[in-house]
Amino acid sequence: MTPDEKVKELGIDLEDYSPPGSLAPATRIGNTIFTSGHVSTGYQGKLGTDFTTEQGKEAARICAVQLMQAAYTLTGTLNNLRVVKVLGAVNCAPDFTEQHLVINGASELFYEVFGKDGNGYHARSALGFVSLPIGFAVEIETIFEVIEA
């Protein structure tokens, strides 16, 4: 099953996308797509006080959907993309130590769509922050490679 078919099966509409603010949702240089940071719409607050790790994973999944939508605006397909790098920022309480588990919500969706043993396998960082813009719980940016046929 192709990534485009997989997102349809998951009920993800790649065209139902509202880019963030005045920033470019993504930009392409050669065969590399850099996305802007996308936030956890519907989740504002801190992990460890306002949200559980499981809720944080859902917030990260929301970010991953938006990241795929942003890349799609440049390519019109996910079929020729490889996830290269994921950088996840988690708005969290000082003693919260499960940032990596929160960002798993995005990584797991990328694995589901692109394949864990294939184009979805990626490098990743998961970091904790004292705050994020407008109090969002999670913000994630991604680097994709465009694979020429």
Side-chain angles (χ1 to χ4, degrees), residues 5-6 14 24 28 38 52 54 61 64 72 83-84 95 121 129 136 141 147:
E5 293 168 340
K6 189 62 180 179
L14 294 172
R28 180 175 176 174
H38 284 67
T52 66
E54 283 304 310
R61 185 179 175 94
Y72 183 84
V83 184
V84 175
D95 61 345
Y121 195 61
F129 287 81
F136 283 105
E141 63 182 51
I147 303 165

Side-chain angles (χ1 to χ4, degrees), residues 30 35 47 52 85 123 129:
T35 68
L47 274 292
T52 66
K85 172 74 175 172
F129 287 81

Side-chain angles (χ1 to χ4, degrees), residues 97-108:
T97 61
E98 296 186 337
Q99 293 86 354
H100 62 295
L101 299 177
V102 169
I103 303 304
N104 279 351
S107 291
E108 290 168 3

Side-chain angles (χ1 to χ4, degrees), residues 3 31-33 78-85 114-115 118-123 142-147:
N31 68 341
T32 306
I33 294 174
L78 298 181
N79 292 341
N80 64 339
L81 297 181
R82 180 173 77 92
V83 184
V84 175
K85 172 74 175 172
F114 297 99
N119 290 340
Y121 195 61
H122 55 270
T142 305
I143 300 171
F144 292 96
E145 177 187 17
V146 179
I147 303 165

Side-chain angles (χ1 to χ4, degrees), residues 40-92:
S40 55
T41 307
Y43 288 87
Q44 288 176 281
K46 289 193 176 293
L47 274 292
T49 55
D50 302 314
F51 299 113
T52 66
T53 299
E54 283 304 310
Q55 290 170 311
K57 282 181 72 172
E58 178 55 34
R61 185 179 175 94
I62 290 167
C63 295
V65 168
Q66 295 171 13
L67 292 161
M68 289 186 292
Q69 290 169 322
Y72 183 84
T73 66
L74 297 177
T75 61
T77 183
L78 298 181
N79 292 341
N80 64 339
L81 297 181
R82 180 173 77 92
V83 184
V84 175
K85 172 74 175 172
V86 173
L87 173 61
V90 179
N91 181 1
C92 57

Side-chain angles (χ1 to χ4, degrees), residues 1-12 68 78-79 109-115:
M1 182 175 292
T2 68
D4 286 346
E5 293 168 340
K6 189 62 180 179
V7 293
K8 277 187 182 177
E9 179 183 89
L10 293 170
I12 297 170
M68 289 186 292
L78 298 181
N79 292 341
L109 181 58
F110 290 141
Y111 295 156
E112 199 170 351
V113 171
F114 297 99

